[in-house]
Amino acid sequence: MYIIHLGFSGFPYGRASVQRTMLTFKGLKLSGEDPLVINKISHHQFPANKKVYQFEDIVYINTSLLDSKPASFVGRNLNKLSGYIGELYFLYRKRKKIQSAILYSTYFLEYPYYFILSRLFRFKLVVQYVEMFSSIPGRNSFFTKMNDRLIDRYLWRFCDGVIAISNYLVEHLTLLSPLTPVIKIPVNSDYAKIAELAASKEKNYLMYCGTIYYEEVIEFIISLFVLLKSNGVYEGALLLIVSGDHSENQDKLDEFLKNVSFRKDIIIKSDIPETELFGYYKSADVLLIPLRDTVQDIARFPHKIGEYTAAGRPLLSTNVGELKNYFTDGVSAILADAYSVESYYHKILPFISSRQKLDQIGREGQAIGKSNFDFRGQGEKLKAFIDSLPAV
């Protein structure tokens, strides 16, 4: 009896959504479930012409006609249509072998669509809820705004249960529908895997990893770094691992960097292997993940926090949202009182020159992360939740 993934495609290569799905299903597999991931859209150029694959013990299938992403617009959309048809046929053919599904999607219409299929084929449908979509800036078109508001308002109507990533989203759902079963599963990470990897041999550095979509946050970090360097507080470098393809934000960052002092001490990398990324994490003096006092940042829980704490290095952020529910400032993390360069600067001052203090905070944060964010324990908890939902 399968527990399947529905919604976004691109597994097993990608950013936070793919990694969360990977670790969620690995946890379920360890708990005795039989997971299966469905990709209905081709996002990658797969080397072999086959439909069924396996990655780190998770089986996944591609239901579109072509496994590799077509180059033309017409070809891509025809292939996308074939993926929906292939997925529907697969669900019908395996309808007696599917006991539940986890939907992870940013498109509102997929919620009623998959809910109807779950009733036709009689499987439980659980929804991953990781963002307050209507609070995300930059999603300004009429249809996008409508899509996001509909998800935040009516998601609970089209499922048997919800996996929420934060207390904020749990409370939001409870206000909308007190009877909808909700489980909180925060960020996840593989602490054992990261522990086995070697640290890099780079010189001292502060580090941030994120996407170019958070260009404002990257500028914030650079401004903090320049202030530390200007006052002679820190002698190391700044390592930025920036992913994503957004030309407008990239142009803004490039323009900003033209007038930045200490530019030679700022290292920017992208598209590096995962093992290399984790190696950089494990060698950093401080790992930065600035959060703003906004609904978006309070409601979400960045996946990088799981990876940062697994690396055993101290994280620097703001004392808002989920962070204050798990970490203590100066003990298990360095948490500024406000999202401002000045607040971050004064908060890091007592620690930045003491490797001993940084190491201790890193160890304390790692212990908290391992207790709360390791995918192994989360799998058992999630299995119990799904089993508790009424049969369809």
Side-chain angles (χ1 to χ4, degrees):
M1 297 297 293
Y2 295 115
I3 179 167
I4 63 174
H5 160 79
L6 298 172
F8 79 84
S9 297
F11 187 91
Y13 311 111
R15 294 191 287 272
S17 57
V18 174
Q19 296 305 311
R20 181 172 175 84
T21 298
M22 165 72 74
L23 293 169
T24 297
F25 277 76
K26 286 180 71 173
L28 287 169
K29 187 175 181 66
L30 287 177
S31 72
E33 298 287 358
D34 195 4
L36 175 68
V37 175
I38 298 177
N39 286 329
K40 62 180 179 288
I41 302 172
S42 299
H43 286 306
H44 307 296
Q45 300 293 331
F46 287 97
N49 186 24
K50 60 180 182 178
K51 294 297 179 185
V52 182
Y53 302 80
Q54 188 166 331
F55 186 87
E56 295 190 8
D57 294 329
I58 302 298
V59 175
Y60 65 101
I61 67 169
N62 296 334
T63 61
S64 56
L65 182 63
L66 301 177
D67 285 347
S68 296
K69 183 178 180 179
S72 70
F73 174 81
V74 173
R76 285 194 300 272
N77 282 279
L78 287 176
N79 201 46
K80 184 185 297 184
L81 177 61
S82 76
Y84 274 95
I85 295 171
E87 179 186 61
L88 180 61
Y89 175 69
F90 177 84
L91 294 176
Y92 170 76
R93 190 162 56 89
K94 296 292 186 181
R95 63 192 183 280
K96 295 182 179 179
K97 297 281 289 180
I98 300 171
Q99 55 108 337
S100 55
I102 299 177
L103 171 61
Y104 197 159
S105 178
T106 60
Y107 300 105
F108 173 73
L109 290 179
E110 290 199 331
Y111 291 86
Y113 171 71
Y114 285 116
F115 184 68
I116 292 170
L117 294 185
S118 74
R119 270 39 198 172
L120 288 174
F121 301 144
R122 305 185 66 81
F123 59 81
K124 302 174 189 178
L125 183 64
V126 180
V127 169
Q128 286 266 27
Y129 193 27
V130 300
E131 292 263 14
M132 192 73 177
F133 291 98
S134 57
S135 71
I136 301 174
R139 295 170 65 85
N140 298 323
S141 73
F142 174 79
F143 289 107
T144 301
K145 282 185 175 181
M146 180 182 293
N147 173 84
D148 294 347
R149 289 171 181 169
L150 287 171
I151 291 177
D152 290 334
R153 182 65 181 83
Y154 297 109
L155 158 151
W156 59 273
R157 290 185 178 273
F158 305 106
C159 63
D160 298 293
V162 179
I163 305 167
I165 202 171
S166 67
N167 284 352
Y168 185 97
L169 294 179
V170 171
E171 293 166 3
H172 170 70
L173 288 166
T174 302
L175 285 173
L176 292 174
S177 176
L179 299 181
T180 296
V182 181
I183 184 174
K184 179 185 172 184
I185 300 290
V187 293
N188 52 18
S189 192
D190 188 341
Y191 284 73
K193 175 182 177 180
I194 295 177
E196 294 174 354
L197 299 175
S200 73
K201 302 298 182 182
E202 297 285 333
K203 62 181 180 179
N204 291 358
Y205 56 90
L206 309 177
M207 181 177 173
Y208 168 79
C209 179
T211 74
I212 192 62
Y213 298 99
Y214 290 98
E215 180 262 338
E216 173 206 328
V217 173
I218 297 171
E219 289 187 9
F220 176 95
I221 290 169
I222 294 172
S223 298
L224 172 64
F225 175 70
V226 169
L227 184 59
L228 290 168
K229 297 286 283 187
S230 298
N231 291 335
V233 175
Y234 187 65
E235 296 182 355
L238 174 63
L239 175 59
L240 302 172
I241 309 295
V242 182
S243 61
D245 181 16
H246 192 281
S247 57
E248 183 179 347
N249 281 7
Q250 187 62 59
D251 291 342
K252 287 181 181 178
L253 179 59
D254 292 341
E255 188 64 29
F256 180 80
L257 285 168
K258 289 179 181 179
N259 302 312
V260 167
S261 304
F262 306 100
R263 177 64 182 87
K264 62 180 178 60
D265 294 316
I266 300 174
I267 305 163
I268 302 178
K269 296 177 179 287
S270 61
D271 299 323
I272 64 174
E274 185 181 74
T275 53
E276 185 179 348
L277 174 64
F278 291 152
Y280 285 133
Y281 286 162
K282 297 182 75 169
S283 187
D285 289 330
V286 177
L287 297 166
L288 294 97
I289 183 76
L291 294 178
R292 299 154 293 188
D293 193 8
T294 63
V295 171
Q296 181 193 13
D297 281 359
I298 293 171
R300 69 190 185 101
F301 203 167
H303 185 76
K304 287 291 178 286
I305 290 172
E307 296 178 348
Y308 280 7
T309 54
R313 302 307 304 150
L315 65 87
L316 172 62
S317 190
T318 321
N319 198 23
V320 298
E322 285 300 304
L323 285 177
K324 64 182 180 182
N325 295 328
Y326 293 95
F327 300 98
T328 302
D329 174 41
V331 178
S332 51
I334 305 171
L335 301 175
D337 298 324
Y339 176 76
S340 71
V341 172
E342 292 76 17
S343 181
Y344 272 57
Y345 174 78
H346 290 295
K347 182 59 66 173
I348 200 175
L349 276 180
F351 307 102
I352 193 66
S353 61
S354 173
R355 183 73 183 193
Q356 183 178 358
K357 289 181 181 179
L358 294 177
D359 290 347
Q360 179 62 29
I361 293 173
R363 286 192 294 269
E364 291 290 335
Q366 186 180 48
I368 288 174
K370 191 172 183 179
S371 297
N372 294 280
F373 310 146
D374 191 85
F375 78 92
R376 294 164 181 83
Q378 291 178 349
E380 290 288 348
K381 184 179 176 182
L382 182 55
K383 180 183 185 303
F385 174 74
I386 294 173
D387 289 344
S388 73
L389 299 175
V392 178

